[in-house]
Amino acid sequence: MWAEEVRVPRPGTGAGAFLGWVLLGAGVGAGLGLGVRAGLFVALGLLAVGGVLVVRQGPRPAQLGVVSGLSALPLAIAWLNRHGPGEYCSGGVTGASACVAQANPWPFVLVGAALVVVGLAAFRRTARPPGRLTGSRQ
């Protein structure tokens, strides 16, 4: 068997590893959206976990999943403002209503979608095996 016929998977190029980094990025994004104290604590803790993994493993293509995972924050903000732009009033069970001003959700959807696409494209580009070596075969 010739050496160029052997396929050895590169570490950090699997979908499972990518999804794990997506979850880490989503946790960081959610942590930044929670609030000042609790959110900062969660985000910094998850960033520390990610930093330890990067130091132990070295750079891997799957780590680009963090970029896609960070889309959780703008997409959650878009979902919370889904009745916007403008004022939205909701009625309660007791007949009382609460009105809230909501922003336009589309800019948040666009930012979230862009983060997902950029993360996936960067992962696919870096996870590709290197090109075939050119040269003469003997």
Side-chain angles (χ1 to χ4, degrees), residues 5-6 9 13 17 32 50 54 63 82-83 90 96 104 108 113-115 127:
E5 294 175 5
V6 176
T13 57
L32 293 175
V54 169
Q63 294 164 353
R82 67 188 176 274
H83 298 292
S90 62
N104 187 356
F108 298 106
L115 286 170

Side-chain angles (χ1 to χ4, degrees), residues 75-93:
L75 290 175
I77 293 171
W79 177 256
L80 293 174
N81 287 295
R82 67 188 176 274
H83 298 292
E87 195 167 285
Y88 175 71
C89 297
S90 62
V93 177

Side-chain angles (χ1 to χ4, degrees), residues 2-60:
W2 294 99
E4 60 239 17
E5 294 175 5
V6 176
R7 300 225 181 243
V8 178
R10 291 177 35 212
T13 57
F18 180 76
L19 289 176
W21 283 98
V22 167
L23 288 175
L24 185 95
V28 170
L32 293 175
L34 282 176
V36 176
R37 290 188 184 177
L40 188 60
F41 179 72
V42 169
L44 287 176
L46 288 173
L47 282 174
V49 167
V52 167
L53 288 173
V54 169
V55 168
R56 291 190 71 202
Q57 296 176 350
R60 304 267 170 97

Side-chain angles (χ1 to χ4, degrees), residues 3-4 129-137:
E4 60 239 17
R132 186 176 201 146
L133 295 175
T134 58
S136 62
R137 286 174 56 172

